[in-house]
Amino acid sequence: MNTEKVYDENGKGFTRIFFSDKVEKVNPIEYYKTFELEKRAITLKDLLSVKNPYLTSQLSKDFFYKKAAETLEGFFEQFEQTPVHENFLKLLVTTRKKNQIALLKGLSINPDELMSFIFKSYTEFGYLYSKYMFKNMPTGLEGKKLPKLLNIKEDGTVIKVGETDLKDGELKNVIQHRKVIVSHFFEKDDIWHCFFLTYNSIAGKENHNDGQPHFHYISSSFGISKEDFLESMRVGNYKSTNVHFDLLDYGNQPK
């Protein structure tokens, strides 16, 4: 996990960013539990530091991890107990492309079910987990300075933190035309399955079910190596696949 504290322009506040662009062949339960524990411990320290910086400086790292662990009691159990559609689980023991496509037809998944599937892929089927994020920015930005944080509000207002030599209209173009891909890989020996989405797919900007957010699916049975598929995502021109399943309730995950 990587983290960065980005201070507001007036220096009175800050935004804590957590990110992980690359995770390869891990036990997903250990990975997500460690990630969440570290994130909560750092956040707790940030909040206490704002209220009482001197007291915070006197507390040990173990204190924050202990308090963070208390907030996680029962948090991951809810995912472990969440049922997953049997076709997703059958997918992990199916190596024929035709059968994989048939299993996913008409399916949907929500974030809790996805996490449960990630956990079950390891505990019940022995798959290791990888996750990659790829970002491809619009052309014409060579030599330009982007702000550290950039957001467009629903009314079109551009919120930015950090120096930039781009105007608000140009910054909107960056957000609207960037290509971001997030992929989840499930790997065992030379077999792999990949659920991936784009920021456009979760924003309803792709031509699928009247803008329904969705995942794309591809596997080692589709005639492409993992390395070649990763490279295609890295350059923003990933191998096309017409296998999709809906993503429901995105943004409603428990905190």
Side-chain angles (χ1 to χ4, degrees), residues 10 133 163 174:
N10 57 18
M133 174 181 282
E163 295 182 6
V174 170

Side-chain angles (χ1 to χ4, degrees), residues 177-192:
H177 294 92
R178 64 179 176 169
K179 294 181 180 180
V180 182
I181 305 170
V182 180
S183 58
H184 304 269
F185 278 81
F186 310 91
E187 305 178 64
K188 184 165 64 173
D189 300 325
D190 59 348
I191 296 173
W192 56 267

Side-chain angles (χ1 to χ4, degrees), residues 91-151:
L91 190 70
L92 296 176
V93 294
T94 305
T95 57
R96 294 187 62 187
K97 176 181 175 181
K98 179 180 179 180
N99 293 341
Q100 292 170 348
I101 294 173
L103 284 170
L104 291 175
K105 187 175 182 180
L107 287 193
S108 62
I109 199 168
N110 64 38
D112 285 2
E113 291 166 342
L114 174 62
M115 187 63 73
S116 179
F117 175 78
I118 291 172
F119 285 8
K120 286 180 171 62
S121 71
Y122 177 78
T123 58
E124 298 183 15
F125 299 91
Y127 278 81
L128 296 177
Y129 174 70
S130 299
K131 182 179 180 180
Y132 305 89
M133 174 181 282
F134 296 98
K135 303 173 186 177
N136 288 276
M137 308 303 282
T139 58
L141 294 177
E142 295 78 7
K144 300 294 184 179
K145 189 170 186 178
L146 291 170
K148 290 187 175 181
L149 290 179
L150 175 61
N151 184 38

Side-chain angles (χ1 to χ4, degrees), residues 21 29 39 99 129 135 145 151 158 181 214-215 233:
D21 291 342
I29 300 174
K39 184 177 75 172
N99 293 341
Y129 174 70
K135 303 173 186 177
K145 189 170 186 178
N151 184 38
V158 176
I181 305 170
H214 60 280
F215 274 100
M233 288 191 290

Side-chain angles (χ1 to χ4, degrees), residues 63-250:
F63 169 84
F64 294 104
Y65 274 81
K66 180 180 178 181
K67 291 297 181 183
E70 291 174 1
T71 70
L72 281 171
E73 292 180 4
F75 180 78
F76 284 100
E77 284 76 0
Q78 63 185 316
F79 301 125
E80 294 167 350
Q81 297 167 8
T82 297
V84 178
H85 194 290
E86 63 177 359
N87 280 17
F88 283 113
L89 302 179
K90 289 180 179 178
L91 190 70
L92 296 176
V93 294
T94 305
T95 57
R96 294 187 62 187
K97 176 181 175 181
K98 179 180 179 180
N99 293 341
Q100 292 170 348
I101 294 173
L103 284 170
L104 291 175
K105 187 175 182 180
L107 287 193
S108 62
I109 199 168
N110 64 38
D112 285 2
E113 291 166 342
L114 174 62
M115 187 63 73
S116 179
F117 175 78
I118 291 172
F119 285 8
K120 286 180 171 62
S121 71
Y122 177 78
T123 58
E124 298 183 15
F125 299 91
Y127 278 81
L128 296 177
Y129 174 70
S130 299
K131 182 179 180 180
Y132 305 89
M133 174 181 282
F134 296 98
K135 303 173 186 177
N136 288 276
M137 308 303 282
T139 58
L141 294 177
E142 295 78 7
K144 300 294 184 179
K145 189 170 186 178
L146 291 170
K148 290 187 175 181
L149 290 179
L150 175 61
N151 184 38
I152 301 178
K153 300 176 67 175
E154 291 185 3
D155 64 2
T157 303
V158 176
I159 305 298
K160 54 185 180 292
V161 176
E163 295 182 6
T164 180
D165 50 11
L166 297 176
K167 297 179 180 179
D168 284 358
E170 294 173 310
L171 292 173
K172 285 184 180 180
N173 181 69
V174 170
I175 292 292
Q176 292 167 353
H177 294 92
R178 64 179 176 169
K179 294 181 180 180
V180 182
I181 305 170
V182 180
S183 58
H184 304 269
F185 278 81
F186 310 91
E187 305 178 64
K188 184 165 64 173
D189 300 325
D190 59 348
I191 296 173
W192 56 267
H193 304 264
C194 176
F195 298 173
F196 69 100
L197 52 76
T198 68
Y199 276 15
N200 281 339
S201 72
I202 57 176
K205 296 180 180 180
E206 292 186 357
N207 185 23
H208 173 76
N209 289 354
D210 296 321
Q212 170 64 47
H214 60 280
F215 274 100
H216 303 256
Y217 171 78
I218 192 169
S219 76
S220 50
S221 299
F222 280 55
I224 184 173
S225 69
K226 178 190 173 186
E227 290 73 21
D228 286 346
F229 185 59
L230 286 176
E231 178 62 16
S232 73
M233 288 191 290
R234 188 189 67 78
V235 300
N237 187 27
Y238 60 84
K239 178 178 173 63
S240 177
T241 168
N242 60 358
V243 186
H244 311 99
F245 54 93
D246 292 348
L247 172 61
L248 306 180
D249 301 326
Y250 179 74

